[in-house]
């Protein structure tokens, strides 16, 4: 099943990338998380007709991809589904919002077209920002950052456990699927007669496994209230990065820098 | 049903974060009071991963050629209870958003509300009410179907409200609801049947695993497929019909959108008024009104120069990035040779 293979590859790829020794990987996770959240808030707060500022926000992503040596091309591949969803949602805008603002040749440009384009760009940029965060920050580091902003330990432990067991279950589901396909060739999905038994048996095994996991965790001294690996606080380098990025984001969002640059050439 | 960040405004996103955060805090408080809460944590993690992985399996829907998947919220709450199920769903949604671009960081609060809150709390309420007189296979099927349909309908309705409150789409409320609800009605029914199949299997094999299942299990109760199917068909007609009425109960929006598309003269007038109103609201609320495409030629000129400037800067940065990359690669090659 391609979907499962792709999911396994995605998790492995991101895990490997997050453990690289790049410049962005060394920045404190809390700083990266805060900058990403600020970026998304500033991006989504842009007016729906403000295409220029939306385009300007791409500068942050380009800079991040250069600093962190990250591939935008690879990131864009994972956007197909989201883009389709946003397109479906945005397609109503050119139909219902038809005020003509200018012409490109004989083709009229309407406010609806602009708002649809802005919506698609916002969608792409917001996902790329989160994608770059996870490419340079491991899940443990993100959980650590969440812990620093006082997210309860129970929730963090659950997130970490889910993440750790995702690969195990994806591989198990993949094995079940292969075994099923070999017994039922040329079948698109699971036959309705096997719906309950196929997943139900895996579910029962999962619950049993959870008990074993709990016992082994308890033997190692697990306590959800005290459990967490302590890490260093954000260093000077991380805070310099934070302030520089914050200033950049504010400039991109609130200063008409591109009108100024464009004005020089026109 | 995952909402992307672009579908939500910061104000709506923050509101939904607060709402979901309060429910999460309450759930944590309730979980802590449970005797075996430490024991429950690994189960929450493992079950979250299970739901995540099994949502990748496609179940063939007989006679259609399409497929569906499990309803995570209801399944989790029927095993773990509403509070633990809700917390597990938060974990699943966070990982889906970070690793698989399903949803977004800003929209996480809204997604938790739309999927986890309804799925776990409304779902478990239906589960509890249905199992009041004891657990039977028929009741499991009934609870799964009603639970999945209702929670998905509520979730889809919330998506509509959140998107409209964010001012993202030009779709009128009536049209949006009429599009969202029937689609999710079908999805809900499919997910309900799949979830029921899995839960029935668990009930057959290990009934004590189901939430509240150990107290009043009536495994020996007579089970008639014919009766169950008849009840389900009636239920589908009632829910389907009811939802269709609900979806089309706002004819103004629908008529408005059809007239917009057909270009009737009466609509032209409404269109102008609507735009005038929208423009006045936009002028009043816009952060940087000079940036927007409105009525002035100079604004368009400024925006065009802005786009040109942006393109130039982006190209410049990409060239710089490319040069840095080439230099980096060269440096690495030299280092390897040394």
């Amino acid at each position: 099943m391609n979907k499962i293979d792709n999911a396994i590859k995605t998790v492995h790829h991101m895990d490997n990338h997050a453990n690289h020794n790049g410049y962005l990987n060394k920045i404190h996770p809390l700083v990266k998380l805060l900058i990403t959240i600020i970026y998304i808030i500033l991006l989504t707060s842009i007016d729906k007709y403000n295409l220029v500022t939306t385009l300007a926000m791409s500068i942050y992503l380009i800079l991040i991809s250069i600093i962190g040596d990250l591939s935008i091309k690879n990131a864009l591949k994972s956007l197909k589904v989201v883009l389709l969803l946003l397109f479906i949602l945005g397609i109503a805008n050119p139909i219902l919002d038809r005020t003509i603002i200018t012409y490109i040749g004989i083709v009229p440009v309407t406010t609806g077209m602009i708002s649809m384009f802005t919506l698609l760009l916002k969608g792409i940029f917001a996902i790329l920002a989160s994608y770059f965060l996870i490419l340079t920050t491991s899940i443990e580091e993100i959980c650590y950052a969440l812990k620093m902003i006082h997210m309860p330990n129970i929730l963090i432990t659950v997130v970490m456990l889910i993440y750790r067991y995702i690969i195990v279950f994806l591989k198990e589901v993949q094995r079940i699927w292969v075994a099923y396909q070999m017994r039922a060739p040329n079948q698109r999905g699971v036959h309705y007669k096997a719906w309950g038994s196929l997943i139900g048996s895996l579910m029962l095994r999962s619950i049993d496994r959870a008990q074993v996991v709990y016992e082994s965790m308890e033997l190692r001294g697990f306590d959800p209230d005290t459990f967490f690996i302590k890490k260093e606080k954000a260093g000077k380098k991380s805070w310099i990065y934070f302030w520089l990025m914050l200033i950049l984001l504010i400039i991109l969002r609130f200063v008409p820098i591109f009108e100024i640059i464009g004005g020089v050439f026109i | 049903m995952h909402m992307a960040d672009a579908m939500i405004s910061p104000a709506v996103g923050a509101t939904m974060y607060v709402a979901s955060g309060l429910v999460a805090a309450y759930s944590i408080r309730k979980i802590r009071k449970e005797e075996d809460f430490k024991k429950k944590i690994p189960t929450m993690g493992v079950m979250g991963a299970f739901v995540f992985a099994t949502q990748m399996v496609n179940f063939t829907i007989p006679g259609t050629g399409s497929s569906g998947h499990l309803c995570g919220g209801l399944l989790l709450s029927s095993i773990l209870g509403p509070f633990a199920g809700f917390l597990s769903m938060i974990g699943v949604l966070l990982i889906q958003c970070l690793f698989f671009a399903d949803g977004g960081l800003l929209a996480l609060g809204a997604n938790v509300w739309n999927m986890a809150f309804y799925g776990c709390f409304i779902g478990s309420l239906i589960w509890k009410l249905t199992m009041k007189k004891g657990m039977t296979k028929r009741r499991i099927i009934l609870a799964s179907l009603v639970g999945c349909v209702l929670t998905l309908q509520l979730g889809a309705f919330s998506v509509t409200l959140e998107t409209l409150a964010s001012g993202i789409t030009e779709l009128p409320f009536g049209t949006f609801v009429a599009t969202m609800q029937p689609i999710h009605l079908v999805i809900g029914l499919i997910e309900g049947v799949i979830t029921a199949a899995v839960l029935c299997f668990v009930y057959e094999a290990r009934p004590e695993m189901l939430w509240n299942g150990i107290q009043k299990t009536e495994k020996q109760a007579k089970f008639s497929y014919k009766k169950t199917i008849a009840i389900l068909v009636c239920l589908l007609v009632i829910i389907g019909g009811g939802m269709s009425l609900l979806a089309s109960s706002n004819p103004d929006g629908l008529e408005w959108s059809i007239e917009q598309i057909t270009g009737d003269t009466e609509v032209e007038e409404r269109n102008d008024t609507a735009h005038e109103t929208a423009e006045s609201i936009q002028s009043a609320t816009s952060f940087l009104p000079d940036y927007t495409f409105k009525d002035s030629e100079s604004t368009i000129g400024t925006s065009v120069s802005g786009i040109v400037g942006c393109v130039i800067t982006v190209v410049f940065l990409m060239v710089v990035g490319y040069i840095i990359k080439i230099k980096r690669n060269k440096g690495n090659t030299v280092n390897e040779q040394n």
Side-chain angles (χ1 to χ4, degrees), chain A residues 1 3-4 7 10-11 14 33 36-37 40-41 44-45 47-53 55-56 58-59 62-63 66-67 69 78-79 82 85-86 89 92-93 95-99 101-102 111 114-115 119 122-123 126-127 130 133-134 139 142 146 152 154-155 157-159 161-163 165-166 169-170 173 177 188-192 195-197 199-204 206-208 210-211 213-214 217 222-225 253-259 261-263 265-266, chain B residues 2 4-10 24 28 31-32 37-39 41-50 52-62 65-67 70 75 79 87-88 90-92 94-95 97-101 103 105-106 163 167-172 176 193-194 197-199 201-202 205-206 209 256-257 259-261 263 271 275 279 282 286-288 291-294 300 302-310 312-314 317-318 321 324-325 328:
Chain A
M1 198 181 260
K3 220 170 158 187
I4 302 172
T10 307
V11 176
M14 289 184 172
L33 183 70
T36 308
I37 291 169
I40 293 171
I41 291 172
T44 49
S45 69
D47 188 88
K48 66 177 174 181
Y49 299 119
N50 197 342
L51 187 62
V52 178
T53 310
L55 278 169
S58 67
I59 300 300
I62 296 169
L63 271 178
I66 294 169
I67 298 168
D69 196 17
S78 61
L79 294 177
V82 185
L85 190 82
L86 290 171
L89 190 73
N93 292 9
I95 298 167
L96 300 174
D97 189 359
R98 289 182 294 178
T99 309
I101 45 160
T102 189
T111 42
I114 299 294
S115 64
L119 176 70
K122 279 183 186 178
I127 291 165
S130 307
L133 168 75
I134 200 71
I139 194 82
I142 286 178
L146 292 173
I154 293 182
L155 212 50
T157 313
V158 169
V159 171
L161 277 169
I162 292 175
Y163 180 73
Y165 276 93
I166 273 176
F169 280 105
L170 283 174
V173 167
W177 175 246
R188 203 169 157 260
V190 180
H191 192 266
Y192 73 95
W195 283 0
S197 55
I199 299 302
S201 53
L202 174 65
M203 186 160 147
L204 293 177
S206 314
I207 296 168
D208 290 339
Q211 301 309 314
V213 170
Y214 167 70
M217 281 168 84
F222 166 76
D223 183 0
D225 292 319
R253 175 66 180 85
F254 297 106
V255 180
I257 189 161
F258 297 113
E259 275 91 342
I261 297 168
F265 291 90
I266 289 179
Chain B
H2 294 78
D5 280 338
M7 286 168 75
I8 204 161
S9 70
I28 290 169
I31 285 275
R32 280 187 178 281
F37 100 91
K38 283 182 187 175
K39 203 175 175 178
I41 290 172
T43 318
M44 285 157 70
V46 172
M47 281 304 292
F50 165 82
F52 183 94
T54 47
Q55 281 189 340
M56 302 259 170
V57 178
N58 291 328
F59 296 87
T60 311
I61 298 150
S66 64
S67 55
L70 274 169
L75 189 87
I79 300 287
L87 296 175
S88 294
I90 294 179
V92 174
L94 180 70
I95 287 168
C97 134
L98 286 172
F99 283 85
F100 299 94
L105 278 175
L106 182 68
T163 313
I168 301 300
T169 178
E170 295 297 324
L171 272 175
F176 203 171
V193 175
I194 299 166
V198 176
L199 290 174
F201 177 83
V202 177
R206 310 254 292 267
M209 292 268 180
W256 185 81
S257 67
E259 282 165 349
Q260 280 275 332
I261 296 159
N271 195 13
H275 279 293
E279 273 174 18
Q282 191 197 319
S286 175
F287 275 105
L288 293 164
Y291 280 19
T292 54
F293 288 93
K294 282 195 286 187
I300 294 165
T302 319
S303 299
V304 170
S305 60
I307 293 168
V308 172
C310 186
I312 291 165
T313 317
V314 169
L317 278 168
M318 283 169 95
I324 291 171
K325 206 173 180 179
R328 225 180 242 168

Side-chain angles (χ1 to χ4, degrees), chain A residues 10-28:
Chain A
T10 307
V11 176
H12 277 313
H13 169 69
M14 289 184 172
D15 228 9
N16 288 338
H17 218 291
N19 292 315
H20 274 183
N21 202 22
Y23 175 79
L24 276 180
N25 298 61
K26 288 173 192 164
I27 301 291
H28 196 273

Side-chain angles (χ1 to χ4, degrees), chain A residues 2 12 59 126 146 172 174 176-177 181 236 244 249 265:
Chain A
N2 262 343
H12 277 313
I59 300 300
L146 292 173
E172 199 148 341
Q174 194 186 33
I176 289 174
W177 175 246
Q181 260 192 331
K236 209 173 170 183
L244 284 176
L249 290 180
F265 291 90

Side-chain angles (χ1 to χ4, degrees), chain A residues 43-186:
Chain A
L43 177 76
T44 49
S45 69
I46 298 170
D47 188 88
K48 66 177 174 181
Y49 299 119
N50 197 342
L51 187 62
V52 178
T53 310
T54 311
L55 278 169
M57 296 303 277
S58 67
I59 300 300
Y60 162 80
L61 297 170
I62 296 169
L63 271 178
I64 289 288
S65 71
I66 294 169
I67 298 168
D69 196 17
L70 309 166
S71 161
I72 292 186
K73 209 170 104 186
N74 285 346
L76 287 171
K77 281 180 193 169
S78 61
L79 294 177
K80 283 177 218 161
V81 181
V82 185
L83 276 179
L84 184 74
L85 190 82
L86 290 171
F87 184 77
I88 293 166
L89 190 73
I91 197 73
N93 292 9
I95 298 167
L96 300 174
D97 189 359
R98 289 182 294 178
T99 309
I100 297 167
I101 45 160
T102 189
Y103 285 89
I104 298 175
I106 51 157
V107 182
V109 177
T110 63
T111 42
M113 287 177 183
I114 299 294
S115 64
M116 183 186 151
F117 197 53
T118 310
L119 176 70
L120 288 174
L121 284 178
K122 279 183 186 178
I124 296 169
F125 293 169
I127 291 165
L128 283 178
S130 307
Y131 185 80
F132 286 162
L133 168 75
I134 200 71
L135 271 184
T136 55
T137 323
S138 68
I139 194 82
E140 288 88 353
E141 286 177 321
I142 286 178
C143 284
Y144 178 68
L146 292 173
K147 169 83 186 149
M148 284 184 88
I149 51 170
H150 300 289
M151 195 189 242
N153 257 348
I154 293 182
L155 212 50
I156 293 171
T157 313
V158 169
V159 171
M160 283 183 73
L161 277 169
I162 292 175
Y163 180 73
R164 281 288 149 240
Y165 276 93
I166 273 176
I167 288 290
V168 178
F169 280 105
L170 283 174
K171 285 183 177 170
E172 199 148 341
V173 167
Q174 194 186 33
R175 273 198 299 275
I176 289 174
W177 175 246
V178 170
Y180 179 81
Q181 260 192 331
M182 290 177 90
R183 285 167 179 85
N186 303 324

